Structures are given as structure tokens and as C-alpha cells.
Amino acid sequence: MLFILLGTLFTAAGYGATFLISFWFRANGGSDIDAGSALGMALVGTLMGVPLVGWCAGRVDAARLAAVGALALACGYALLGRLRGLSPAYLPGVAILLIGLGWGMFYLAAPLALSERLTDRERGPGFIRFSAFQMTGICLSPILLNLGVAKYDLPLSTAFLWVAAVGLAASLLLGTFGLREPIRSSESALRPWVGSVIMIAKSTAIRPIVMAGLGGAVFSGMMAFQGSLTEGTGASASTFFAVHATTAVVTRLVLARKLPVWPRTPLISCLLGCLIAGLASLLGMPVHPAFQIAAAVLTGAGYGLLYPVIQTWAVNASPQEYRHAALTWFVLAYFVGIFGFPAIGGWLLVTAGKAVFVWLLVALATLELATAVLRKRR
């Protein structure tokens, strides 16, 4: 399992580097609106990558598909690192499309490869450990890259080339995992999953799927535009990334075996309450940087623990024959939020200001809470 955990750490570092894409655009004469539009290409890439894995995982081991995804992500960063400005205009979009394609393939294929090798009892703790390594990579990457760029004058283009090298290493690790821990399966056909949404919608699995989309929008909003939110205050984006990541990783590792046995609805309600309180704390950053620390701790504990809980819920609440489809729809919903929101968020941040932007994040998290506690009428 070590190979998939390390491969996840390195691939997630590639996704974490996308939080610096807004800096890259501004450094090359663009704006947050340009960055949001470009990240929309990442959404297009993920909408290609996730269905591709969903269909092909029956023919090809999901671990190999995850390795291909990490390789595509590495190629995207290699292209972005070789660019010298925004011209020609289509090349940044192509690079970010490759990054989205790679991350989309990995984000479904890696947990699918892990899930196929675990029992129902092992899946909860396994997903939590997996997500701990994933969160470490996502948040540690922008911290290190920010440090290199700000303190040691490392050009962003060079930083992106380093990220490409890390993505290549991730591809090798994930491929090795597939070879060392093969699965016994007689299946050798494409897996239909689109039509399965009708059966999934009849189960409680549809609720965590909807929550994944809303949570992805909140996460991308508070992370991708953290540099803009801290601008003009005494707070630092790197501080938020560090505290958020540390809180999420430590709580996941400490509570890995306890979370799956706690009552689900009260647990999710508590975690979303922490997330909402953390988002509201962002409004206090102009007053004092301590509000940013509070926001990082609360969102790290809230969202950091929430994601693996609802991911396990989506899989285990589905009928056995639809679990692959449920995980596919879960990841697809997450990516619609994670890459679809920046285009709206970037425009709102520029035109309406920081306060309106943060209140929108609070509203989305509140809607996610309502989805969690909503019960069907008989």
C-alpha cells in the first residue's frame, strides 16, 4: 500500500500547484478572471478523464489508469513551465487541460484501485489514510513552491518543471503498485455507469454525491483565491495552506479508525458547522491575522474530515453492482465543483469584492449541510 500512498502524495502535489496558476497569470499580465477561465479548461479535462476511467476500469487495472493520469498531469506542467508569457493564447489552456485530464483520471482511478483491494470494513480507514496523503500533497506543494518563489526567487516556470518531475515519479510509483498488488478479476468489459444514476438516485448515495460537488466548490474557492483574499492584510496565503494541511492530515490520521463507527449524521453536521465557522472567520482577516489561523484550523478539521466520510458513505450506501458507478459520479460531481467554481468565483471576487465572495462560500457550505440532514418523505 506504500506505493499508492506515495504516488498519491506526489500526484496531489501536482494538483496543489494549480493554486499558483493565478499568480502565474498575474505575473504574465493577466488577472483572476483569466486564471478562472483557464481553470475552466481543467474542468473540461476532468470531464474527459473521469468518464474515461469509469468506462475502461473493467478492461484495464485502475492502478495503471492512475499512473497514466499522473503522467498526463506531468506533461501539462512541463508544457506550462516551458511557456514564456500568455502568447500564443491557446497554449496555457492546453497545458491546464492536460493537468485537468491527468488529475481527473487519477482522482477516480486511485481510490477505485484501492477500493477494489479492500473489504467493506477496511474501506473506511483505508480511504481516510489515502485522503490524508492526498491532503498533504495538495497543501504542502503550494507552501514549498510559495517559499521557493517568494524567498529564493525561484521562477514559476522552473517551479512548474519541478512539479512535472514529481508527477513523473508519481506515475512510476502508481504503476509499481499495480504490478506488486494485482487484483483477481474475471471482468473484461467496459463498465457502463451513466445510466446507473437512476438506481443511485433511489438510494441515499445521491446525497453524498451532491455534497461532493458543493464541497468541491467551497474548497476551490477558499484555496485557489487565498492569495487574493490575503492581499492588503497582514495574513499570508502560505500560512493558511500550512495550518489547513496540518490540521486536516493530523485529524485524519488520529481519527482514522474512530470516524467510521461514529453516528454519521451528527458527525457530518458537526464537521460542516466547523467548515461554515471557518469560512466566516475569513471575513476577519483585515482586522487581525489570527482570524486566518482560526479559519485554517476550522476548515482543515471540517472539510478535511468530511470528504473521506462522505466518500465512504457514497460507496457503501450503494448496491454492490453500482458501487463503481457511485464512485464515478461522486468524483465527477466533485470536479464540477472544484474546477467549475473558479470561473464564477474569480469574476465575483473582482466585481463584487472579498466579502460577497466569502459569503457565497458560506452559503454553499450551508446548502451542503441541508443536503446532509435532508430526509426523504415517505
Side-chain angles (χ1 to χ4, degrees):
M1 191 171 177
L2 180 62
F3 287 100
I4 192 171
L5 293 178
L6 289 177
T8 296
L9 177 70
F10 291 163
T11 311
Y15 171 71
T18 62
F19 298 144
L20 295 179
I21 287 178
S22 63
F23 289 103
W24 185 85
F25 272 91
R26 281 185 285 171
N28 287 279
S31 68
D32 284 327
I33 295 177
D34 298 316
S37 299
L39 287 171
M41 292 300 296
L43 174 60
V44 174
T46 57
L47 293 179
M48 295 165 57
V50 172
L52 181 64
V53 172
W55 283 313
C56 296
R59 286 184 176 271
V60 183
D61 183 8
R64 297 181 183 179
L65 294 173
V68 173
L71 182 60
L73 181 141
C75 291
Y77 276 108
L79 176 57
L80 199 60
R82 299 300 300 173
L83 294 179
R84 296 295 180 264
L86 301 179
S87 181
Y90 66 90
L91 281 182
V94 172
I96 295 172
L97 177 71
L98 285 171
I99 293 170
L101 173 66
W103 182 241
M105 291 184 65
F106 165 83
Y107 207 84
L108 175 58
L112 188 59
L114 186 63
S115 179
E116 290 174 338
R117 291 164 170 83
L118 298 175
T119 65
D120 282 2
R121 188 174 182 180
E122 297 169 334
R123 190 171 290 113
F127 274 174
I128 292 172
R129 291 192 183 93
F130 172 87
S131 62
F133 277 79
Q134 183 171 275
M135 181 61 72
T136 301
I138 289 174
C139 291
L140 186 61
S141 171
I143 294 170
L144 296 177
L145 293 174
N146 254 329
L147 182 64
V149 171
K151 190 172 182 179
Y152 297 104
D153 297 323
L154 180 70
L156 271 175
S157 57
T158 304
F160 286 154
L161 290 176
W162 278 106
V163 174
V166 170
L168 179 59
S171 180
L172 295 174
L173 287 166
L174 293 166
T176 303
F177 169 76
L179 292 174
R180 289 176 63 91
E181 299 190 31
I183 57 173
R184 294 181 180 179
S185 177
S186 58
E187 184 179 8
S188 181
L190 296 178
R191 289 177 170 179
W193 57 270
V194 177
S196 302
V197 70
I198 298 174
M199 293 302 299
I200 294 171
K202 294 179 180 179
S203 70
T204 59
I206 193 63
R207 288 157 63 188
I209 290 172
V210 173
M211 292 171 65
L214 294 170
V218 171
F219 183 70
S220 68
M222 70 179 177
M223 299 296 276
F225 297 106
Q226 190 62 213
S228 298
L229 291 173
T230 57
E231 191 173 359
T233 70
S236 166
S238 296
T239 301
F240 183 89
F241 294 143
V243 177
H244 180 95
T246 301
T247 304
V249 171
V250 170
T251 52
R252 284 178 178 181
L253 292 176
V254 170
L255 300 175
R257 293 201 172 274
K258 294 181 180 179
L259 285 178
V261 300
W262 284 346
R264 186 175 61 218
T265 301
L267 173 62
I268 290 176
S269 300
C270 179
L271 295 177
L272 281 168
C274 288
L275 177 61
I276 292 169
L279 293 170
S281 298
L282 292 172
L283 295 168
M285 284 195 299
V287 178
H288 196 278
F291 282 96
Q292 188 199 35
I293 303 297
V297 171
L298 289 168
T299 58
Y303 184 82
L305 293 175
L306 177 70
Y307 186 87
V309 170
I310 64 174
Q311 185 181 42
T312 305
W313 179 12
V315 176
N316 288 353
S318 304
Q320 183 70 38
E321 63 271 25
Y322 295 112
R323 287 183 171 179
H324 160 262
L327 187 56
T328 303
W329 279 109
F330 182 90
V331 171
L332 195 61
Y334 171 77
F335 276 124
V336 169
I338 205 83
F339 286 128
F341 180 78
I344 300 171
W347 172 82
L348 189 67
L349 188 60
V350 172
T351 58
K354 299 178 184 179
V356 174
F357 176 82
V358 172
W359 281 118
L360 176 60
L361 297 182
V362 171
L364 291 173
T366 304
L367 182 58
E368 187 176 2
L369 175 60
T371 304
V373 300
L374 182 68
R375 295 186 182 276
K376 289 184 177 180
R377 294 183 179 180
R378 291 184 180 273

